[in-house]
Amino acid sequence: MPNIQKVELKSKTIYGLQTRTKNADEMTPASQKIAPLWGRFYNEVLPTLGEGTTVYGVYYNYESDATGMFDVLAGSEQEGEALASVTLEEGRYLKFPVKGEMPQAIIDAWVKVWAYFDDPSIDEKRAYETDFEVYKSADEAEIYIGVNY
């Protein structure tokens, strides 16, 4: 995957709608929770946000690793009534660029992220604290994976 960057980030709080799931449940439409979460976000929350507000998808509260349960929050930096919140942890991240038609481009990028961390020759190890997506435009995003390196 080209253009992976190592970055240091400060913490910030994201507000939105959340659910708890695991990757195995996301493989079949009947048990998916992430797609319906985004549907609710686009219908209920996005219309209340200011124009140009950056949208985030946050993965956190990991039970273990890529096979365990985790929380997902679809949101922004804008506070709102009855919205959940999560703090993006300060620290080291790998930034993976994403370009293409959403949501397929983000799904394909996650496959590449998992393959990257499955490679025994890389030095970075996933921290499993907070990982997130930042949506830059209709066809561009970035995935940030918290790492220990």
Side-chain angles (χ1 to χ4, degrees):
M1 187 173 235
N3 302 328
I4 298 168
Q5 292 180 299
K6 295 179 182 183
V7 294
E8 291 275 342
L9 299 177
K10 300 258 184 249
S11 66
K12 70 171 69 169
T13 303
I14 305 300
Y15 304 89
L17 302 176
Q18 72 177 17
T19 191
R20 188 152 179 85
T21 189
K22 62 183 175 190
N23 286 321
D25 289 348
E26 296 303 313
M27 301 305 163
T28 45
S31 57
Q32 284 179 346
K33 294 182 180 173
I34 295 175
L37 175 74
W38 279 106
R40 281 187 54 219
F41 175 81
Y42 279 107
N43 288 326
E44 299 170 22
V45 179
L46 193 63
T48 70
L49 301 177
E51 190 175 322
T53 300
T54 301
V55 172
Y56 293 79
V58 185
Y59 303 84
Y60 62 103
N61 201 11
Y62 287 97
E63 180 180 72
S64 56
D65 56 19
T67 63
M69 298 290 288
F70 56 92
D71 290 337
V72 182
L73 182 138
S76 75
E77 292 179 65
Q78 187 174 312
E79 292 185 55
E81 201 173 308
L83 294 180
S85 68
V86 61
T87 299
L88 301 178
E89 299 296 328
E90 180 173 331
R92 297 174 173 161
Y93 290 82
L94 288 184
K95 179 172 80 171
F96 296 79
V98 180
K99 188 131 180 71
E101 189 172 332
M102 303 296 168
Q104 193 59 49
I106 208 85
I107 293 166
D108 294 345
W110 272 103
V111 170
K112 292 174 183 169
V113 167
W114 293 328
Y116 178 86
F117 286 101
D118 281 343
D119 182 342
S121 71
I122 64 160
D123 294 332
E124 304 91 2
K125 299 294 176 224
R126 284 187 69 180
Y128 289 102
E129 289 174 9
T130 51
D131 303 314
F132 61 98
E133 304 153 353
V134 178
Y135 291 89
K136 311 295 259 180
S137 69
D139 67 347
E140 194 173 358
E142 297 164 341
I143 297 176
Y144 290 80
I145 304 294
V147 293
N148 302 316
Y149 59 84

